[in-house]
C-alpha cells in the first residue's frame, strides 16, 4: 500500500511559519496586510528564539528576491548614465541615450517620490499617470538631467522608469484617451487613473476638477479573436 504521504500528491502543504510571519511576508511583496512598523513590533515582542528565527527567515526569503531585482535595475540605470563600477564618477559620453531605447525596462535609484503628478509615455504603453522621482544621489541626478530624461514611478505600479522629458506631461494635460487596448491593460489604466485623480484632488482642495465638465475617457478594449 502507498504511504499516506503520497496520496495527496500536489496538495497544498500547510506552512510551518507562525501566523505573524505568514501575514507580514506579504508586506515585502507590496501587499497591504502589514507594513515596516508591524515587522518592528513583531520582532520586539518575540519571547523565543524559534519565533525570532521564523520571522527572520520569512523576511529573508522575500527580501533576497527584492534586493536582487533592485541591484539589476540599478545596474541598468548606471549603465545608461555611464556610472563607473565604484559609483564615483560617470562618462559624459553616456548622456546621449538612444532614441530607440525601450523605456519600459525598469530601473532603480535611491530617490524621493515627489507630489508632482504627470502622465508618462512608456514604450508600448499608453499615456499613464505617474509621479516624478527625484534621485538623491547627486551623480545620478546630474546624469538624468544631462541626458534629458525623467525618473518616474507609475501610479499603481511600484516600478521606476527612465523616460525622455518629451514623453512626460502634466497630469491634467489632455492626451489621446480613446485607444484600443488589451483588456487587462485597459482595466489597470482605469484603476491607476482613478487613484491619480484622487491624489490630484487632495493636492488641490478647493480647486474645480478639470474633469468635472468632461465625459469620462473611453478606453476601447481590444477583443481577442479565436483562432
Amino acid at each position: 500500500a502507498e504511504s499516506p504521504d503520497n496520496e495527496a500528491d500536489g496538495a497544498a502543504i500547510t506552512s510551518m511559519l507562525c501566523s505573524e510571519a505568514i501575514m507580514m511576508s506579504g508586506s515585502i511583496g507590496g501587499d497591504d496586510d502589514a507594513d515596516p512598523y508591524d515587522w518592528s513590533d513583531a520582532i520586539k515582542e518575540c519571547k523565543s528564539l524559534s519565533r525570532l528565527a521564523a520571522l527572520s527567515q520569512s523576511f529573508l526569503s522575500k527580501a533576497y528576491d527584492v534586493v536582487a531585482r533592485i541591484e539589476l535595475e540599478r545596474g541598468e540605470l548606471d549603465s545608461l548614465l555611464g556610472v563607473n563600477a565604484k559609483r564615483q564618477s560617470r562618462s559624459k559620453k553616456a548622456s546621449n541615450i538612444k532614441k530607440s531605447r525601450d523605456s519600459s525596462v525598469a530601473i532603480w535609484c535611491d530617490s524621493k517620490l515627489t507630489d508632482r503628478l504627470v502622465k508618462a509615455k512608456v514604450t508600448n504603453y499608453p499615456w499613464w499617470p505617474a509621479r516624478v522621482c527625484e534621485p538623491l544621489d547627486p551623480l545620478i541626478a546630474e546624469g538624468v538631467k544631462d541626458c534629458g530624461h525623467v525618473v518616474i514611478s507609475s501610479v499603481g505600479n511600484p516600478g521606476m522608469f527612465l523616460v525622455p522629458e518629451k514623453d512626460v506631461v502634466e497630469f491634467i494635460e489632455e492626451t489621446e484617451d480613446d485607444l484600443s487596448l488589451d483588456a487587462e491593460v485597459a482595466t489597470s489604466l482605469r484603476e491607476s487613473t482613478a487613484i491619480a485623480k484622487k491624489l490630484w484632488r487632495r493636492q488641490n482642495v478647493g480647486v474645480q476638477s478639470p474633469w468635472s465638465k468632461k465625459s469620462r475617457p473611453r478606453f476601447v478594449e481590444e477583443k481577442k479573436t479565436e483562432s
Side-chain angles (χ1 to χ4, degrees), residues 3-196:
S3 167
D5 292 338
N6 299 325
E7 289 180 1
D9 236 2
I13 300 174
T14 302
S15 174
M16 298 299 290
L17 293 174
C18 59
S19 58
E20 291 96 328
I22 296 172
M23 176 193 74
M24 293 189 298
S25 64
S27 69
I28 302 178
D31 294 344
D32 295 327
D33 291 334
D35 59 27
Y37 296 104
D38 292 309
W39 276 100
S40 177
D41 291 342
I43 293 297
K44 292 176 181 177
E45 293 171 4
C46 280
K47 296 181 180 179
S48 67
L49 286 176
S50 60
R51 182 171 290 273
L52 177 61
L55 287 172
S56 300
Q57 182 57 42
S58 175
F59 179 88
L60 291 173
S61 65
K62 289 280 187 176
Y64 178 82
D65 292 337
V66 174
V67 172
R69 174 179 58 77
I70 286 176
E71 287 182 347
L72 286 174
E73 293 174 356
R74 186 178 74 169
E76 171 71 17
L77 181 60
D78 287 354
S79 176
L80 289 169
L81 302 181
V83 176
N84 66 4
K86 293 184 178 180
R87 313 196 79 252
Q88 296 175 342
S89 64
R90 67 182 189 85
S91 170
K92 300 292 184 178
K93 295 180 180 179
S95 296
N96 297 319
I97 298 176
K98 293 181 179 179
K99 293 182 179 180
S100 59
R101 173 183 169 268
D102 183 353
S103 60
S104 68
V105 176
I107 56 94
W108 185 89
C109 65
D110 189 13
S111 62
K112 173 186 176 183
L113 186 62
T114 72
D115 290 330
R116 184 187 170 194
L117 277 170
V118 297
K119 289 180 183 176
K121 189 72 171 66
V122 174
T123 305
N124 296 325
Y125 283 87
W127 288 96
W128 207 281
R131 291 170 69 177
V132 172
C133 300
E134 292 182 355
L136 298 179
D137 185 334
L139 194 64
I140 297 299
E142 178 189 54
V144 170
K145 182 179 179 180
D146 286 353
C147 69
H149 281 58
V150 180
V151 176
I152 59 102
S153 176
S154 299
V155 174
N157 183 337
M160 297 170 66
F161 305 94
L162 183 70
V163 298
E165 290 178 345
K166 67 179 181 62
D167 290 335
V168 177
V169 299
E170 295 303 318
F171 179 63
I172 61 174
E173 189 170 323
E174 289 190 28
T175 52
E176 184 58 55
D177 293 317
D178 191 1
L179 304 172
S180 179
L181 303 174
D182 174 84
E184 186 175 346
V185 173
T187 299
S188 296
L189 179 55
R190 277 195 293 267
E191 293 173 349
S192 296
T193 300
I195 294 172

